[in-house]
Amino acid sequence: IFGWNKLSKKLHAATMWLVAIGSNLSALWILIANSFMQQPVGYVLRNGRAEMTDFFALLFNGHVWVQFPHVFFSGITMAAFFVLGISAYHLWKKKDDMEAFQTSFKWAAVYGIIGTVFVIMVGHTQAQYMVRVQPMKMAAAEALWNSENPAAMSLFTIGDEKNRKDVFAVRIPGLLSFLAYNKFSGEVKGINQIQEEYAQKYVDKYGPDADYVPPVALSYWTFRLMVGFGFLMLGLAIWALIISMKENWDFSQAKMKIFVWGIFFPVIAISTGWIFTEIARQPWIVFGLMRVEEAVSLATSTFEVFLTLVLYTVIYGALMVVDVYLLKKYAILGMQGISE
């Protein structure tokens, strides 16, 4: 933002690449830690404490390598729709440098298609991995109360979470099995059966009445928002590319405004995706190893936790306000902002 006229072109480009590489390396390490929480590997329990025994087991945890590509291509999608939206804004306002924004609109559409296609493909692989490693999470995502073979995929379900049954549901027979196994047969375990399985497996540690079912409604709808906005963005990116390939572009306000609002679509998809990832893992803080209530620190007071949360929220909230202000300011200025 600030270095355009202060650095050489090569050095300016290098700063952008360093930020991109650094951000993705940071994401990788965060996801390695998160993947241990989803699928703990490379550890041993000593005196009730998990200690790492195999660093490379953490690095090559199967969960990392279905999760990291999903996050990586989500980042590409986010960037593509940001550029697409800003370009659409300037095309709609018919400001100067129309040719430049036509070019950025076209290439943002290309990257948007690449990003969303790979997000969907990797997401499919991720879902298949989830069926094997975290079956309760998949059951919650589909509000699948009882095991089915072949399993139907829910298009729309209103469920009775307390009694674990459907009130109203529209399901496509066999499609969930296809998504899970690439064939229209194969058992997908239901919430009730997994609950019984876990109750027997962990009875010595948590007793016979422990509940292992995550918040189903929140898991179900966040999953659908993530997937729904993913496919919506793919459609918008394809539409944008079609528009950009025509000789006479239609810069009408109605069309361009859709792409401006599209800036928020990756934010919604990514946010709901992460909410689903963490909520549908409940009641585990480390899956199969430690429940959330066991993770409460005995060395930290409630006030200290509250104060830390407030301070982090205030600091990051302030940074977000400044960031959004600067992004909006220079996005509206467009090419004029480069020379200021």
Side-chain angles (χ1 to χ4, degrees), residues 65-199:
W65 300 106
V66 293
Q67 199 174 33
F68 177 67
H70 197 65
V71 170
F72 175 80
F73 287 110
S74 295
I76 287 179
T77 303
M78 171 79 83
F81 273 81
F82 182 81
V83 174
L84 193 67
I86 301 304
S87 302
Y89 171 81
H90 286 275
L91 292 172
W92 151 34
K93 293 292 184 179
K94 294 182 171 61
K95 293 192 174 186
D96 297 332
D97 302 301
M98 293 284 284
E99 186 178 347
F101 285 111
Q102 283 180 282
T103 301
S104 61
F105 184 91
K106 178 180 71 176
W107 283 107
V110 171
Y111 276 91
I113 293 171
I114 292 170
T116 51
V117 166
F118 276 98
V119 164
I120 291 167
M121 289 172 60
V122 175
H124 175 60
T125 303
Q126 198 173 9
Q128 292 183 325
Y129 191 82
M130 187 166 57
V131 170
R132 302 197 310 270
V133 178
Q134 290 180 302
M136 182 66 89
K137 183 181 283 190
M138 176 53 77
E142 288 296 320
L144 184 67
W145 309 106
N146 294 297
S147 302
E148 293 183 2
N149 185 4
M153 189 188 80
S154 169
L155 287 182
F156 181 81
T157 295
I158 297 175
D160 179 352
E161 195 166 344
K162 182 179 179 181
N163 296 304
R164 296 177 188 163
K165 64 179 184 179
D166 289 344
V167 175
F168 174 80
V170 178
R171 296 181 179 273
I172 302 176
L175 189 54
L176 184 56
S177 289
F178 180 79
L179 293 175
Y181 304 110
N182 293 327
K183 59 181 182 178
F184 289 100
S185 63
E187 183 183 52
V188 179
K189 292 182 178 179
I191 290 169
N192 291 322
Q193 286 70 38
I194 300 169
Q195 166 63 27
E196 292 175 5
E197 179 186 326
Y198 288 177

Side-chain angles (χ1 to χ4, degrees), residues 33-332:
N34 184 266
S35 291
F36 179 84
M37 299 168 74
Q38 306 286 346
Q39 184 185 356
V41 295
Y43 72 96
V44 66
L45 288 175
R46 290 194 181 99
N47 300 319
R49 180 171 179 259
E51 297 180 5
M52 182 178 66
T53 58
D54 189 344
F55 176 69
F56 290 99
L58 296 177
L59 290 184
F60 296 103
N61 185 344
H63 201 280
V64 175
W65 300 106
V66 293
Q67 199 174 33
F68 177 67
H70 197 65
V71 170
F72 175 80
F73 287 110
S74 295
I76 287 179
T77 303
M78 171 79 83
F81 273 81
F82 182 81
V83 174
L84 193 67
I86 301 304
S87 302
Y89 171 81
H90 286 275
L91 292 172
W92 151 34
K93 293 292 184 179
K94 294 182 171 61
K95 293 192 174 186
D96 297 332
D97 302 301
M98 293 284 284
E99 186 178 347
F101 285 111
Q102 283 180 282
T103 301
S104 61
F105 184 91
K106 178 180 71 176
W107 283 107
V110 171
Y111 276 91
I113 293 171
I114 292 170
T116 51
V117 166
F118 276 98
V119 164
I120 291 167
M121 289 172 60
V122 175
H124 175 60
T125 303
Q126 198 173 9
Q128 292 183 325
Y129 191 82
M130 187 166 57
V131 170
R132 302 197 310 270
V133 178
Q134 290 180 302
M136 182 66 89
K137 183 181 283 190
M138 176 53 77
E142 288 296 320
L144 184 67
W145 309 106
N146 294 297
S147 302
E148 293 183 2
N149 185 4
M153 189 188 80
S154 169
L155 287 182
F156 181 81
T157 295
I158 297 175
D160 179 352
E161 195 166 344
K162 182 179 179 181
N163 296 304
R164 296 177 188 163
K165 64 179 184 179
D166 289 344
V167 175
F168 174 80
V170 178
R171 296 181 179 273
I172 302 176
L175 189 54
L176 184 56
S177 289
F178 180 79
L179 293 175
Y181 304 110
N182 293 327
K183 59 181 182 178
F184 289 100
S185 63
E187 183 183 52
V188 179
K189 292 182 178 179
I191 290 169
N192 291 322
Q193 286 70 38
I194 300 169
Q195 166 63 27
E196 292 175 5
E197 179 186 326
Y198 288 177
Q200 293 177 11
K201 184 175 181 179
Y202 302 108
V203 64
D204 292 340
K205 189 173 183 180
Y206 301 114
D209 300 321
D211 188 4
Y212 301 95
V213 180
V216 177
L218 187 57
S219 302
Y220 178 87
W221 289 111
T222 52
F223 183 75
R224 266 142 192 79
L225 282 169
M226 174 189 68
V227 173
F229 274 94
F231 279 100
L232 176 60
M233 287 186 288
L234 176 59
L236 278 178
I238 292 171
W239 185 33
L241 185 60
I242 291 171
I243 290 173
S244 68
M245 293 176 71
K246 293 181 178 179
E247 289 187 13
N248 298 315
W249 284 37
D250 182 0
F251 301 129
S252 63
Q253 178 179 341
K255 283 186 178 180
M256 294 297 110
K257 224 172 184 179
I258 294 171
F259 296 110
V260 174
W261 282 108
I263 291 173
F264 299 101
F265 293 172
V267 179
I268 296 170
I270 291 169
S271 299
T272 52
W274 269 111
I275 291 169
F276 165 74
T277 297
E278 302 309 312
I279 290 295
R281 190 184 69 227
Q282 302 301 306
W284 303 105
I285 193 98
V286 180
F287 183 76
L289 190 62
M290 177 185 283
R291 289 171 63 98
V292 171
E293 61 267 24
E294 295 177 285
V296 177
S297 174
L298 300 177
T300 308
S301 69
T302 304
F303 174 75
E304 288 171 327
V305 173
F306 176 74
L307 180 63
T308 303
L309 179 62
V310 170
L311 287 174
Y312 266 102
T313 303
V314 170
I315 292 169
Y316 276 91
L319 289 171
M320 182 182 72
V321 169
V322 173
D323 185 44
V324 170
Y325 167 77
L326 291 172
L327 289 172
K328 181 181 178 182
K329 175 184 175 181
Y330 284 96
I332 291 173

